[in-house]
């Protein structure tokens, strides 16, 4: 008789512990569910969707030969002359500024300023010898020219700078 | 159902479940996230970057292209160009006006300088990167193809990673208040294009390669030419290599 009472008491304790443990488990999983975002930990300590977000960004600059399709003549002229390694978008604007869904959106600007040329060709400290560079004042004195904001283009064609010097 | 049949069927079910997990190709999970991802498998790529210092002319076209490609806010840079002017063993002057976004202006030649050169800088995409280690929310991560990026939706902007980066490659975006950095133009390279800075460089001073591409010229250069990495003593294993870098470059 006494034994049975003892057993019942024990069962009660076990149930209480089980209920508490069960509640704790539910709380842990609920907190995890709230805190851990979707796609977490599939490939590492990050959200898989973050990579997908990056992949969905549309490029602003086009491909290297993105301008060739519509401007084959200019493309050819640049690629066969001394500015062959220049990207069109470096001196003009990114392709997406000019084209949208394969159609012209905005006219492509042309920077005729001597400052654009000077970025690469002004003689400054640090520029490797052997790269064509001039001190603008000295160059004008030597070649005979008047300084103006578009002075370089008086003689040089930007697409083929050393051909047909004027 | 007897205990035996129950156990047998349970085991069979577990086995089938395990087989299913293994059979699903890992990247199908990424595949259904967008059309771009479908034709890109990050297991097929392992990227690296090479900067050839002797070729850099300091025009800053790379910085301009990066700014436009990634909408980098004013006064912040994901890539920049530094001019080193070495006077003697003790004295080196380093400058980077506006990150060289507009190139380097006319300057008085430094008297007594023994050498001067330009050094393009960007995130080194370290293999053992301190910036992702310190992130408390897992917003900084490394992709399988070796690019270190930031999850802008997850980042809390604590700036811990900005402090942890020994190369100064990170900044807190003043608008989104989240960390940001060079992604090697992940949206471009996954479409088979070059990063914007590489495409903009007129002298081929910036080169982008892929170890897993057959006969990759950039990987070959890294393998055969005397390249070095920046601050190797930190053991971060940068994936950005420098060719012709003087001992002063850090």
């Amino acid at each position: 008789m006494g034994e049975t009472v003892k057993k019942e008491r024990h069962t009660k304790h076990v149930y209480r512990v089980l209920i508490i443990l069960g509640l704790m488990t539910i709380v842990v999983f609920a907190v995890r569910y709230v805190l851990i975002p979707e796609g977490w930990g599939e490939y590492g300590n990050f959200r898989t969707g973050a990579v997908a977000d990056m992949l969905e960004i549309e490029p602003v600059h086009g491909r290297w030969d993105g301008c060739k399709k519509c401007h084959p003549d200019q493309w050819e002229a640049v690629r066969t002359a001394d500015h062959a390694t220049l990207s069109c978008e470096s001196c003009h604007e990114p392709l997406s500024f000019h084209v949208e869904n394969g159609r012209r959106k905005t006219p492509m600007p042309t920077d005729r300023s001597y400052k654009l040329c000077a970025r690469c060709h002004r003689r400054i400290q640090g520029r490797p010898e052997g790269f064509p560079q001039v001190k603008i004042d000295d160059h004008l004195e030597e070649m005979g020219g008047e300084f103006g904001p578009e002075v370089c283009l008086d003689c040089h064609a930007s697409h083929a700078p050393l051909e047909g010097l004027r | 159902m007897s205990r035996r049949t129950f156990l047998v069927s349970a085991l069979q079910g577990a086995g089938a479940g395990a087989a299913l997990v293994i059979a699903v190709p890992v990247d199908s999970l990424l595949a259904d996230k967008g059309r771009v991802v479908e034709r890109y498998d990050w297991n097929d790529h392992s990227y690296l970057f090479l900067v050839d210092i002797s070729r850099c002319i300091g025009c800053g076209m790379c910085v301009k292209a990066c700014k436009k490609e990634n909408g980098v806010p004013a006064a912040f840079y994901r890539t920049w160009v530094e001019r080193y002017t070495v006077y003697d063993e003790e004295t080196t002057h380093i400058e980077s006006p506006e990150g060289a976004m507009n190139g380097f202006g006319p300057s008085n030649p430094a008297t007594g300088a023994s050498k001067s050169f330009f050094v393009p800088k960007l995130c080194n995409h370290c293999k053992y990167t301190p910036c992702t280690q310190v992130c408390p929310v897992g917003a900084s991560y490394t992709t399988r193809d070796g690019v270190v990026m930031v999850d802008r939706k997850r980042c809390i902007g604590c700036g811990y990673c900005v402090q942890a980066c020994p190369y100064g490659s990170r900044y807190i975006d003043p608008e989104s208040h989240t960390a940001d950095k060079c992604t090697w133009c992940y949206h471009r390279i996954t479409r088979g294009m070059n990063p914007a800075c590489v495409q903009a460089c007129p002298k081929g001073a910036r080169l982008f390669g892929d170890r897993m591409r057959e006969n990759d010229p950039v990987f070959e250069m890294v393998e055969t030419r005397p390249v070095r990495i920046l601050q190797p003593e930190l053991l971060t294993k940068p994936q950005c290599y420098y060719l012709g870098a003087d001992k002063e470059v850090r």
Side-chain angles (χ1 to χ4, degrees), chain B residues 32-52:
Chain B
D32 53 29
K33 292 259 156 65
R35 62 179 176 82
V36 191
V37 198
E38 274 168 34
R39 52 185 159 80
Y40 182 76
D41 188 344
W42 61 2
N43 295 307
D44 296 342
H45 303 273
S46 173
Y47 299 115
L48 70 165
F49 203 99
L50 178 63
V51 177
D52 187 347

Side-chain angles (χ1 to χ4, degrees), chain B residues 2-249:
Chain B
S2 74
R3 178 182 284 191
R4 176 182 285 269
T5 51
F6 171 77
L7 284 174
V8 166
S9 59
L11 274 173
Q12 279 170 343
L20 193 72
V21 169
I22 294 157
V24 172
V26 180
D27 288 283
S28 68
L29 288 163
L30 264 178
D32 53 29
K33 292 259 156 65
R35 62 179 176 82
V36 191
V37 198
E38 274 168 34
R39 52 185 159 80
Y40 182 76
D41 188 344
W42 61 2
N43 295 307
D44 296 342
H45 303 273
S46 173
Y47 299 115
L48 70 165
F49 203 99
L50 178 63
V51 177
D52 187 347
I53 285 184
S54 63
R55 284 172 169 268
C56 181
I57 58 168
C59 64
M61 287 299 186
C62 48
V63 185
K64 190 171 96 168
C66 173
K67 281 253 177 191
K68 287 181 179 172
E69 182 68 40
N70 298 297
V72 181
F76 292 96
Y77 307 94
R78 292 188 184 191
T79 184
W80 64 98
V81 182
E82 294 170 355
R83 174 160 58 187
Y84 277 62
T85 310
V86 182
Y87 294 91
D88 53 53
E89 269 183 57
E90 306 286 302
T91 334
T92 303
H93 179 67
I94 307 165
E95 61 183 327
S96 185
E98 287 181 285
M101 194 179 75
N102 300 308
F104 287 82
S107 56
N108 295 323
T111 46
S114 61
K115 53 186 167 185
S116 184
F117 47 86
F118 297 103
V119 182
K121 291 275 184 80
L122 67 157
C123 170
N124 283 276
H125 293 272
C126 308
K127 206 168 189 177
Y128 305 122
T129 175
C131 59
T132 63
Q133 284 172 33
V134 300
C135 182
V137 294
S140 278
Y141 59 96
T142 309
T143 59
R144 288 224 173 147
D145 38 17
V147 185
V148 179
M149 293 200 292
V150 180
D151 180 353
R152 262 176 259 182
K153 287 178 189 156
R154 186 94 184 129
C155 178
I156 54 168
C158 68
Y160 205 171
C161 57
V162 180
Q163 286 194 346
C165 175
Y167 304 99
S169 306
R170 288 172 169 252
Y171 58 88
I172 298 286
D173 187 302
E175 276 161 41
S176 62
H177 303 291
T178 57
D180 223 331
K181 64 183 290 299
C182 161
T183 62
W184 274 344
C185 285
Y186 201 67
H187 59 296
R188 293 176 63 85
I189 60 176
T190 48
R191 286 172 166 87
M193 304 156 101
N194 263 333
C197 62
V198 173
Q199 186 164 307
C201 182
K203 291 301 288 177
R206 287 168 172 264
L207 300 164
F208 191 66
D210 184 348
R211 284 183 194 83
M212 286 164 90
R213 190 159 42 203
E214 248 179 83
N215 303 320
D216 186 83
V218 181
F219 183 40
E220 206 181 296
M221 277 175 91
V222 170
E223 292 273 85
T224 57
R225 304 284 299 275
V227 294
R228 57 165 278 208
I229 47 172
L230 301 184
Q231 305 188 49
E233 69 277 11
L234 297 174
L235 310 175
T236 56
K237 246 191 155 198
Q239 299 304 299
C240 185
Y241 297 87
Y242 282 79
L243 184 62
D246 199 83
K247 66 181 188 310
E248 272 81 11
V249 178

Side-chain angles (χ1 to χ4, degrees), chain A residues 86-93 109-111 116, chain B residues 61 64:
Chain A
L86 248 79
S87 165
C88 308
E89 294 161 302
S90 284
C91 298
H92 295 278
E93 283 291 325
T110 307
D111 186 353
L116 181 63
Chain B
M61 287 299 186
K64 190 171 96 168

Side-chain angles (χ1 to χ4, degrees), chain A residues 96-149:
Chain A
S96 63
F97 178 88
H98 176 56
V99 176
E100 199 175 64
N101 301 323
R103 299 190 140 232
R104 198 178 109 127
K105 184 172 74 173
T106 330
M108 198 56 130
T110 307
D111 186 353
R112 298 176 63 84
S113 163
Y114 83 95
K115 284 181 181 165
L116 181 63
C117 311
R119 256 183 109 120
C120 297
H121 296 292
R122 195 203 304 263
R123 180 171 288 278
I124 54 164
Q125 175 119 25
R127 210 152 263 171
E129 279 308 317
F131 181 75
Q133 48 193 309
V134 296
K135 252 185 157 169
I136 297 170
D137 295 344
D138 294 357
H139 187 60
L140 282 176
E141 202 174 301
E142 193 190 329
M143 297 299 171
E146 281 280 302
F147 181 79

